[in-house]
């Protein structure tokens, strides 16, 4: 069922549109934009549709899997009826044979946001691809490519001296990065040291330079997080079972028939599609496909929660709370009424 306005919906100011429009054209007051982020199965789409019923927003998808055409079941893409009532931008952009990058997302999202703002409405970006959200907000830092020889050299130093010693060395040349990394985080320490040795500049300085590309919007960042991950895991299992009943295996078979695909393509590395592909090819037992798909989806949710908690500054709401949509709507009303 498509959620409609709740009886407990906050009152939307009658002149809200009139207040938003001047803000969009006044340099001193950037136009508003809303980010709605959360792990898979956290209820993002339902919350976004409810906000669409109450506010002058237009939806922009932030989902690295829903950009692919004909990949509908396994990506939990809204159905045609839902999309007609609640149009989403940045869905069905490319063939499963193609690749889509964070850089291209940023370009496409900013273009969509500009059109929405020009029409006197508010962009509402909703999804679970946290890298895309970070790229939108922070831009793309000009960081050097990995250097295998230098990494081997750093690893050898760590083996001889220990990562705490390299952490202390990093603190001398890049204190900002060293302050946020524990001495045990070998992977990130290696990267920070590698960047400094390759460029002679601290990673923190290079990342700060990308901040100048922050979009000219007044953002409200909202994050959906589960108070009990076990309940989220149950949701994930039920949703994956529903996808299988809806014909996920047939969808993958049809994709393989229609397109020139291979298992290393980004589209076929998506959670669910990878497991079905492997089962169809016989590389995993068919009876294990469901459990592997559910496990992979739980791991995806774990990564999304880590991103949202550690890398994105968002106001968080318990996605399992029954009144979550009403609480979010009240927060959006206050934001747009400023």
């Amino acid at each position: 069922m498509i959620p409609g306005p709740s009886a407990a919906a906050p009152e939307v100011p009658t002149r809200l549109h009139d207040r938003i429009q001047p803000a969009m054209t006044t340099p001193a007051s950037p136009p508003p934009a809303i980010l709605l982020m959360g792990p898979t199965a956290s209820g993002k789409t339902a919350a976004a549709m409810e906000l669409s019923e109450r506010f002058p927003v237009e939806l922009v998808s932030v989902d690295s899997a829903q950009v692919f055409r004909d990949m509908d079941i396994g990506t939990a893409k809204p159905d045609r009826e839902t999309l007609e009532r609640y149009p989403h931008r940045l869905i069905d952009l490319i063939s499963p044979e193609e690749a889509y990058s964070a850089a291209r997302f940023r370009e496409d999202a900013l273009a969509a946001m500009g059109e929405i703002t020009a029409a006197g409405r508010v962009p509402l970006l909703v999804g679970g691809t946290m890298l895309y959200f970070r790229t939108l907000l922070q831009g793309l830092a000009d960081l050097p490519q990995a250097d295998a020889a230098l990494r081997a050299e750093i690893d050898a130093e760590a083996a001889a001296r220990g990562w705490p010693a390299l952490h202390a060395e990093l603190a001398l040349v890049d204190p900002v990065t060293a302050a946020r990394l524990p001495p045990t985080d070998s992977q990130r320490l290696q990267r920070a040291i590698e960047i400094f040795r390759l460029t002679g500049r601290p990673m923190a300085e290079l990342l700060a330079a990308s901040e100048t590309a922050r979009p000219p919007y007044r953002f409200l960042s909202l994050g959906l997080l589960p108070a009990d991950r076990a309940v989220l895991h149950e949701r994930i299992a039920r949703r994956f079972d529903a996808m299988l009943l809806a014909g996920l295996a047939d969808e993958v078979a049809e994709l393989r028939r229609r397109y020139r695909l291979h298992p290393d393509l980004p589209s076929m590395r998506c959670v669910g599609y990878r497991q079905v592909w492997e089962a169809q090819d016989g590389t995993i037992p068919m009876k294990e496909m469901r459990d592997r798909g559910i496990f992979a989806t739980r791991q995806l949710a774990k990564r999304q929660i880590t991103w949202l908690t550690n890398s994105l500054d968002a106001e968080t709401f318990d996605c399992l709370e029954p009144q979550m949509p009403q609480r979010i709507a009240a927060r959006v009303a206050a934001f747009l009424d400023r």
Side-chain angles (χ1 to χ4, degrees), residues 65 85 187 249:
R85 183 171 177 181
Q187 181 177 355

Side-chain angles (χ1 to χ4, degrees), residues 20-21 23-25 30-33 58 89 110-123 216-217:
I20 292 172
Q21 183 63 30
M24 293 177 177
T25 57
E58 188 168 335
R89 296 183 183 233
L110 289 174
M113 292 169 71
E115 293 173 2
I116 294 167
T117 297
R121 299 177 67 79
V122 178
Y217 287 86

Side-chain angles (χ1 to χ4, degrees), residues 119-188:
R121 299 177 67 79
V122 178
L124 170 55
L125 290 87
V126 56
T129 303
M130 304 304 171
L131 173 61
Y132 286 6
F133 279 116
R134 191 181 72 173
T135 301
L136 173 68
L137 292 172
Q138 300 181 7
L140 292 166
D142 187 17
L143 301 180
Q145 295 293 318
D147 185 306
L150 179 54
R151 289 192 168 192
E153 177 183 314
I154 295 170
D155 284 340
E157 290 182 36
R161 300 165 51 203
W163 284 109
L166 291 184
H167 183 271
E169 177 183 306
L170 179 67
L172 297 175
V173 296
D174 189 353
V176 174
T177 301
R180 67 177 178 82
L181 295 181
T184 54
D185 193 344
S186 58
Q187 181 177 355
R188 290 180 174 83

Side-chain angles (χ1 to χ4, degrees), residues 218-240:
R218 179 170 61 93
F219 285 104
L220 173 65
S221 297
L222 307 172
L224 305 185
L225 291 173
D228 186 346
R229 291 200 191 186
V231 177
L232 183 68
H233 291 171
E234 292 172 5
R235 284 189 182 183
I236 288 170
R238 289 197 301 269
R239 190 167 78 163
F240 196 80

Side-chain angles (χ1 to χ4, degrees), residues 296-314:
T297 309
R298 289 178 177 177
Q299 292 299 107
L300 169 63
K302 180 180 179 181
R303 293 193 298 272
Q304 291 170 317
I305 290 170
T306 299
W307 268 88
L308 182 52
T309 303
N310 297 339
S311 301
L312 295 163
D313 184 17

